[in-house]
Amino acid sequence: LNALTGQRYYYQPSANLGVGGDTVADILARITDLAPLNPDIVFWCSTFANDITGSTSEQDLKDDFDAIAAYVKNTLGAVLVAGTPLPRNHSGGGALTAPQQTLLNNLKSYVLAQTVADGVIPVNIYDNMVATGTDNPDPIKFDNEGGQLLHPTPAGAYQIALDIKSVLENIYGNYDIPDMSTCDLGLNSDLSGTGGTENSALASATVADNWNFYSYSGLTGTVDKTGSDKQLIDISYTDSRSYDIWELQATDISTGFVEGEEYYMEAEIEVIATSNVRMGVCLEPTLNSSGSYKAMSPYDINAWPDTFAGTLHLRTPNFTIGASDTNIDPIFWGQMNSVGITSSDEIIIKQARFVQN
């Protein structure tokens, strides 16, 4: 959602209070955990996710929903963005019973009947997540976990984000990706010039100043500059490696940042086309004083899913500079699928910057 909306609704991962397996009653029991965060908007992306196959009555579920919405509105002074229940099935892949599907449908209708005056912005995240002509989860948009289709795949998460984005833009309007053309820490933020280097399987590559392109053997394609002087990466890969296949690394930043202060990275990326990729592109600030790659994980952000096309604004979580963090290595990287499947990745990296929070 944030990648699609210029990070308008960005929050730190610590503000994600979701707990796997929680029922609505569980959420209500710890609703006061929201208070220290002082939120303006509370996102509850899939209401009643773990209640459809439970034993709580429909009326009790609705009453608990009302209590949660009332707390968010009246105590926090915030608005609740509430997604409908998602479609689901039973373990082993069986469909819900008729009474369970009726309960789901009734709760979906109840959520969609809420209004902004109630302190709730309802979002229908059900209809675009079902298999065509059924009430069953779309197997492309849910992981198959032993026959259960419960958790969205990247493609499913992307669809949910589109549904939420559409509703929020009708209320709050659009939000443009901010300008990132300046960076005080020596990073070539707009990826201009052609003085960069490459260490790759390609015969040649044209790379932006102060950036280096690296890849593994078996990669084919083009790394070049666009007519507007941005960095184009248009590559394919067939060999059986399922990890990061290419990397675009900035020259190390070794001065200008302050120990104990918080920073983040952000980037504007246009995804033209991808096929059979695990990640079209990932943005990561690596603290490489120890020489280890991906040292900042999970402080990275991925452009998902496969087959997505469009412009994204990626932003990493905040990270704090420690005493041993003498260099920062901004990296873009991509993962392709393996076992002989041809994967392709065509993206334009337009802007990137490293920012003190």
Side-chain angles (χ1 to χ4, degrees):
L1 173 64
N2 279 310
L4 292 166
T5 59
Q7 298 297 327
R8 185 170 194 178
Y9 307 100
Y10 177 78
Y11 59 88
Q12 281 294 102
S14 58
N16 181 353
L17 302 184
V19 174
D22 259 10
T23 63
V24 174
D26 294 328
I27 294 172
L28 180 59
R30 57 187 185 85
I31 192 67
T32 55
D33 291 350
L34 286 168
L37 300 174
N38 192 29
D40 297 312
I41 301 176
V42 175
F43 288 89
W44 187 5
C45 289
S46 177
T47 53
F48 308 107
N50 297 300
D51 294 286
I52 303 302
T53 59
S55 58
T56 305
S57 72
E58 179 178 330
Q59 188 57 54
D60 284 345
L61 292 174
K62 291 177 178 178
D63 289 345
D64 285 347
F65 178 95
D66 290 345
I68 291 169
Y71 179 84
V72 171
K73 178 185 178 183
N74 300 326
T75 301
L76 300 179
V79 64
L80 178 66
V81 177
T84 59
L86 286 169
R88 62 161 298 167
N89 63 1
H90 277 296
S91 59
L96 296 176
T97 66
Q100 289 168 341
Q101 186 62 50
T102 297
L103 173 63
L104 192 158
N105 292 342
N106 290 347
L107 293 173
K108 171 190 169 188
S109 297
Y110 190 75
V111 172
L112 292 178
Q114 306 297 309
T115 67
V116 175
D118 302 320
V120 180
I121 298 174
V123 184
N124 185 350
I125 64 170
Y126 181 92
D127 289 357
N128 289 321
M129 295 290 286
V130 294
T132 303
T134 74
D135 282 313
N136 298 322
D138 185 337
I140 301 298
K141 296 175 182 175
F142 288 86
D143 281 321
N144 189 329
E145 304 163 76
Q148 295 187 81
L149 300 174
L150 300 179
H151 301 109
T153 61
Y158 170 57
Q159 180 60 62
I160 294 170
L162 285 179
D163 292 334
I164 296 174
K165 173 179 180 286
S166 176
V167 171
L168 293 182
E169 285 184 344
N170 285 335
I171 295 173
Y172 297 121
N174 296 323
Y175 186 70
D176 293 331
I177 292 176
D179 177 39
M180 304 177 208
S181 60
T182 60
C183 180
D184 296 332
L185 297 174
L187 184 66
N188 177 12
S189 295
D190 59 2
L191 290 96
S192 60
T194 58
T197 57
E198 62 99 7
N199 181 11
S200 73
L202 302 178
S204 63
T206 303
V207 183
D209 295 345
N210 298 326
W211 291 83
N212 175 71
F213 181 77
Y214 177 87
S215 68
Y216 291 89
S217 62
L219 197 79
T220 60
T222 301
V223 173
D224 206 344
K225 301 304 294 298
T226 67
S228 57
D229 200 28
K230 305 303 180 184
Q231 187 67 59
L232 171 68
I233 298 173
D234 182 6
I235 47 87
S236 295
Y237 186 80
T238 307
D239 290 356
S240 55
R241 178 183 171 88
S242 59
Y243 305 106
D244 49 310
I245 298 302
W246 64 266
E247 296 176 359
L248 184 69
Q249 306 171 351
T251 302
D252 286 359
I253 299 172
S254 57
T255 60
F257 50 87
V258 180
E259 181 184 344
E261 296 294 326
E262 284 191 339
Y263 295 83
Y264 64 90
M265 282 193 65
E266 63 181 345
E268 180 185 357
I269 299 170
E270 181 182 354
V271 181
I272 299 173
T274 62
S275 178
N276 296 321
V277 296
R278 291 172 180 252
M279 296 177 212
V281 64
C282 178
L283 172 66
E284 183 163 41
T286 297
L287 304 189
N288 61 1
S289 58
S290 63
S292 61
Y293 256 7
K294 309 297 183 285
M296 283 304 305
S297 184
Y299 299 106
D300 54 11
I301 187 70
N302 307 321
W304 277 343
D306 189 23
T307 72
F308 169 79
T311 299
L312 298 176
H313 177 196
L314 306 186
R315 183 199 193 279
T316 71
N318 296 343
F319 53 91
T320 302
I321 299 297
S324 63
D325 300 327
T326 56
N327 294 293
I328 298 174
D329 188 7
I331 296 175
F332 293 94
W333 53 282
Q335 280 189 355
M336 321 294 266
N337 275 326
S338 59
V339 197
I341 299 173
T342 298
S343 306
S344 60
D345 206 358
E346 185 178 3
I347 63 170
I348 296 173
I349 301 175
K350 295 183 173 182
Q351 301 183 87
R353 68 174 181 171
F354 178 58
V355 185
Q356 185 171 357
N357 190 40

